[in-house]
Amino acid sequence: MPESIWSYVTPGIPDELFERLPGIPMSKCETRLLIIGQLRLRANSVLWDIGAGTGTIPVETGLLCPNGKILAIERDEDVAGLIVKNCRKFNVNNVEVTVGSAPECLHNIADKPDRICIEGGRSVSEILEYCWEHLQIEGRAIATTNSLEGLYAISASFAMLQARNVEVVQSSVNRLETRGNRQVFAAVSPMFIISGEKL
């Protein structure tokens, strides 16, 4: 097997190392670090990543937890293929990709998660409620959104589900960029990361 292009034990793969598709959003490196930190993964965690997009979270968590199992759920077949491509690129072998819309496509998944990451979906509240039923006791779920409406909906769902130790973090990251002959700080789109535990 060829050596991985990311030879470090810490997460934080630069965005430009991932394969991309035009118009498909990607969690930026700094935001990924916050998401992974909020997941509080165990060495053998079973993670459902719903709305996995480019596959940055599956790749990073797959490398971080080689004895774990990551299930990447993505509704678009081309984007799901991109996840597979990125996993191959980084020699990640513990990610299983499911093509379909959540929550309907989750019914046939046998592995019950102890960690859930919801990065997208048409009805985040409905997805969160379904996933919560399957989340193991002492499991942890997080959901991300960049809108106030999404924040309200996710917060209301966590309250209805009686989640414990609910936390809300908003990323605020600036990167130094060269524009012409000047260096300026450019903001990375802020993201709300809402987490809760099932006790």
Side-chain angles (χ1 to χ4, degrees), residues 36-71:
I36 292 167
Q38 288 297 313
L39 281 169
R40 298 180 190 162
L41 295 162
R42 300 185 190 281
N44 61 347
S45 278
V46 175
L47 167 65
W48 286 5
D49 183 17
I50 298 161
T54 306
T56 58
I57 295 292
V59 166
E60 297 257 29
T61 55
L63 289 171
L64 194 60
C65 305
N67 295 320
K69 183 168 186 179
I70 292 85
L71 294 123

Side-chain angles (χ1 to χ4, degrees), residues 85-102:
K85 191 173 184 180
N86 276 316
C87 287
R88 286 185 185 143
K89 181 174 185 175
F90 290 94
N91 297 325
V92 176
N93 302 308
N94 56 343
V95 173
E96 182 181 306
V97 179
T98 297
V99 180
S101 293

